[in-house]
Amino acid sequence: MTDPQHAKYIAAIDQGTTSTRCVIVDRDGQVRSSAQFEHRQIMPQQGWVEHDPLEIWNNTRRAMSVALADVDLAAADIAAVGVTNQRETAVVWEKDTGKPIHNAIVWQDTRTTRLCERLAGEEGFRRWQERTGLLINSYPAGPKIAWILGHVEGARARAERGELLAGTIDTWLIWNMTGGAEGDRGDVARHVTDVTNASRTLLMDLQTLTWDEELCEAVGVPRQLLPEIRASVDEFGVVRQRGTLAGVPIRGVLGDQQAAMFGQGCFTEGTAKNTYGTGLFLLLNTGEQVRISGHGLLSTVCYQVAGEKPVYALEGSVAMGGSLVQWLRDSLQLIPNAPAIENLAREAGDNGGVYIVPAFSGLFAPRWRSDARGVIVGLTRFADRRHLCRAVLEATAFQTREVVEAMVADSGVELQALKVDGGMVSNELAMQIQADVLGAEIARPDNIETTALGAAFAAGYGVGYWSSLAELAAQCEVDKRWQPEMDRAERERLYAEWNRAVERSYDWER
Ligand code: ADP
């Protein structure tokens, strides 16, 4: 095993929805090397999204090798490796051969909707919210595992005989990294997950952090299929693949949004981050208390260090974030590329009374209105594409404010500043609008690769490469801050108009 005092770097695997990366960072948290490979999005029918688990595993191996080779490093130079992953994506495979019995069912896939409606029953989708922190809908991984067992011939019987293993992508990768089914090493392979990933299955009790027998039974997932649950900063075995990170211990595992919290240094109660990607993902650290939301948010494990109490978070996501910018570009063709939205919106000066409510498939947190559909309101002869561009950036900011208000109401914690990351934060006007609409400071870090950084932080902290969470938080340097410039009356007037616009989107789909 490598000695953390002499090894110079930490590695992180960032297994995302569209690609897999391996990133190597130094003691200052600076990225020294990065290798990335995309994988196929398999869509057998409307609403179904699958990935090939073997393709993802191969990409992970290649990314590990290339990231090392590019900067002439060997595994001995790496003190530890962390893993972060797309959450809620489920894989079932054969213990003896390592062959998946079905493609991975991806988090966005809606095929379990009907099963989830049955599980929710008369009590409704909040039935298990106290126990799991989650709402019963198509996202969690547990029902996806049950779907595979129910649809692959003989799978349920094989699962009960102990011939199969299941898990989220972290579990699949770690099992393979630690030896997989290869020859006599089969017994060495670790079948493990961390608390943050386990908290997205609908099968884990959020208080005890153990698999809940009753839930496993109700959902239809035999307990022996499931991995051992460990803390996020913990021991997950040692990499065994030659030519990659052989001999390096896996010491940190976090779901992608929790990794972004870790990479943003959100370690204390009341700290929050918003990731502006395709969708928006907001998390607020609520400390050692589970806060069950009365406003349509999820409760989840933020992270846990082995031997310490878990830290929890409230989470709210918005389906249409950067994807609304893409819609303006691809479907309406009003802008040639995403960055072009900034100057056009700036030229508009204000929204000219125009609001876009992107309820393209209903409204999610915190409103949960499946009857809503998208609307553009306030159009006059005066409005042009510049106002629509402005309205798109404002819609992102207003939706964020709605989730933040729900978090404040649920937690009683007042938000002082919001840390931001994701592709859209390069848009400076969008960040100013966000500060104005929220009435709070917006802080963008130097390194916006917060997900990979978070996994590296967790692993490095696990082996003592970094000695404290405070030291890690100090590494999160802020590149730019935006303060609210709008006066309070104007902020509230705009928000009230937004709320009127949202009401216009209701009661459309019947
Ligand atoms: P994901 O990880 O979900 O694929 P990213 O974090 O890479 O997303 O962010 C990409 C999203 O950000 C896209 O939806 C794109 O439309 C949006 N985006 C990128 N640059 C800008 C910009 N300058 N202004 C507004 N939106 C942007």
Side-chain angles (χ1 to χ4, degrees):
M1 194 185 285
T2 46
D3 173 3
Q5 297 315 317
H6 292 99
K8 296 188 222 58
Y9 304 98
I10 299 290
I13 309 288
D14 177 1
Q15 203 305 297
T17 308
T18 55
S19 72
T20 306
R21 297 196 309 149
C22 177
V23 174
I24 293 174
V25 303
D26 64 17
R27 225 170 266 279
D28 299 325
Q30 297 296 318
V31 174
R32 288 293 144 147
S33 179
S34 170
Q36 179 166 12
F37 297 97
E38 291 196 3
H39 57 266
R40 286 170 304 145
Q41 306 295 316
I42 304 162
M43 301 182 184
Q45 65 182 72
Q46 169 92 13
W48 291 25
V49 189
E50 299 178 356
H51 292 158
D52 175 353
L54 289 171
E55 183 182 5
I56 287 181
W57 166 232
N58 275 328
N59 286 353
T60 307
R61 291 164 58 149
R62 286 164 69 203
M64 288 191 280
S65 308
V66 174
L68 283 176
D70 271 359
V71 285
D72 288 332
L73 290 178
D77 298 313
I78 309 294
V81 54
V83 175
T84 178
N85 55 288
Q86 48 169 325
R87 301 177 303 175
E88 295 137 344
T89 297
V91 193
V92 181
W93 68 98
E94 292 175 348
K95 199 190 246 173
D96 283 348
T97 66
K99 257 180 57 190
I101 64 164
H102 191 276
N103 276 335
I105 302 185
V106 179
W107 58 276
Q108 304 130 317
D109 190 299
T110 55
R111 79 185 69 186
T112 55
T113 303
R114 206 125 10 91
L115 168 61
C116 289
E117 281 166 6
R118 273 207 305 279
L119 291 171
E122 290 193 347
E123 286 170 69
F125 65 99
R126 298 189 58 176
R127 180 178 177 196
W128 292 329
Q129 195 184 3
E130 286 277 335
R131 255 203 263 185
T132 65
L134 303 180
L135 303 172
I136 303 177
N137 55 32
S138 63
Y139 286 107
K144 293 186 163 105
I145 295 171
W147 189 95
I148 293 175
L149 297 183
H151 288 79
V152 175
E153 208 184 317
R156 187 160 289 286
R158 297 186 68 194
E160 270 154 25
R161 286 200 300 270
E163 293 171 19
L164 303 178
L165 297 173
T168 40
I169 293 284
D170 54 314
T171 303
W172 165 247
L173 290 184
I174 294 167
W175 188 81
N176 280 290
M177 287 163 84
T178 55
E182 282 176 37
D184 57 357
R185 291 213 299 261
D187 286 343
V188 185
R190 299 287 295 272
H191 188 221
V192 285
T193 188
D194 93 300
V195 279
T196 67
N197 278 294
S199 79
R200 317 299 294 197
T201 57
L202 204 67
L203 305 176
M204 189 187 81
D205 184 311
L206 203 54
Q207 300 281 354
T208 64
L209 307 180
T210 55
W211 298 122
D212 182 314
E213 299 284 346
E214 219 177 277
L215 293 180
C216 290
E217 169 129 18
V219 175
V221 178
R223 172 68 193 78
Q224 64 264 38
L225 218 60
L226 294 171
E228 175 194 348
I229 303 174
R230 304 197 70 102
S232 322
V233 177
D234 207 335
E235 295 185 0
F236 295 89
V238 173
V239 181
R240 299 197 174 269
Q241 255 69 47
R242 275 190 298 192
T244 64
L245 294 167
V248 177
I250 306 166
R251 294 301 296 268
V253 178
L254 292 154
D256 53 10
Q257 298 309 320
Q258 283 89 341
M261 286 290 272
F262 221 88
Q264 287 268 27
C266 292
F267 301 127
T268 50
E269 185 174 337
T271 49
K273 68 93 200 170
N274 193 11
T275 298
Y276 297 76
T278 311
L280 310 179
F281 288 94
L282 255 135
L283 269 79
L284 170 74
N285 180 321
T286 60
E288 290 172 3
Q289 295 298 318
V290 177
R291 308 267 185 182
I292 294 297
S293 176
H295 299 85
L297 304 175
L298 307 181
S299 312
T300 196
V301 183
C302 189
Y303 65 89
Q304 185 188 23
V305 177
E308 295 178 19
K309 287 191 175 160
V311 171
Y312 292 94
L314 276 169
E315 173 174 330
S317 45
V318 171
M320 299 293 294
S323 50
L324 190 59
V325 178
Q326 286 169 2
W327 178 74
L328 213 62
R329 182 193 64 193
D330 302 338
S331 301
L332 297 191
Q333 300 185 353
L334 289 185
I335 48 172
N337 49 53
I341 195 173
E342 185 165 356
N343 276 339
L344 285 164
R346 209 182 286 281
E347 279 173 28
D350 60 34
N351 65 16
V354 177
Y355 292 83
I356 300 183
V357 182
F360 288 11
S361 44
L363 289 166
F364 299 90
R367 294 182 188 254
W368 300 102
R369 294 287 302 238
S370 54
D371 59 321
R373 283 299 176 272
V375 292
I376 302 179
V377 297
L379 291 174
T380 63
R381 189 70 184 77
F382 169 71
D384 61 34
R385 69 173 175 154
R386 293 171 305 175
H387 299 101
L388 288 176
C389 286
R390 175 95 192 181
V392 162
L393 299 186
E394 289 188 357
T396 312
F398 287 131
Q399 291 182 101
T400 298
R401 174 160 166 183
E402 288 188 357
V403 176
V404 166
E405 286 192 346
M407 286 179 167
V408 169
D410 282 331
S411 66
V413 178
E414 205 58 52
L415 185 83
Q416 297 306 326
L418 183 64
K419 301 184 183 198
V420 299
D421 52 51
M424 205 172 160
V425 300
S426 58
N427 188 316
E428 308 234 338
L429 178 63
M431 295 301 105
Q432 183 59 54
I433 292 173
Q434 186 66 80
D436 287 340
V437 162
L438 212 51
E441 180 185 287
I442 302 298
R444 184 176 70 190
D446 219 4
N447 181 354
I448 60 169
E449 300 290 348
T450 55
T451 310
L453 194 62
F457 277 1
Y461 181 49
V463 287
Y465 182 86
W466 290 294
S467 57
S468 67
L469 294 182
E471 185 189 347
L472 289 175
Q475 301 235 354
C476 303
E477 278 175 35
V478 173
D479 157 53
K480 188 156 180 184
R481 296 175 201 274
W482 287 267
Q483 305 295 341
E485 287 172 355
M486 189 180 275
D487 70 56
R488 198 187 182 88
E490 179 65 357
R491 171 182 314 137
E492 296 315 316
R493 184 186 72 77
L494 287 176
Y495 193 52
E497 283 201 352
W498 160 261
N499 277 306
R500 282 173 55 212
V502 176
E503 278 161 29
R504 297 293 190 282
S505 75
Y506 287 177
D507 197 22
W508 187 259
E509 177 74 18
R510 295 185 174 183

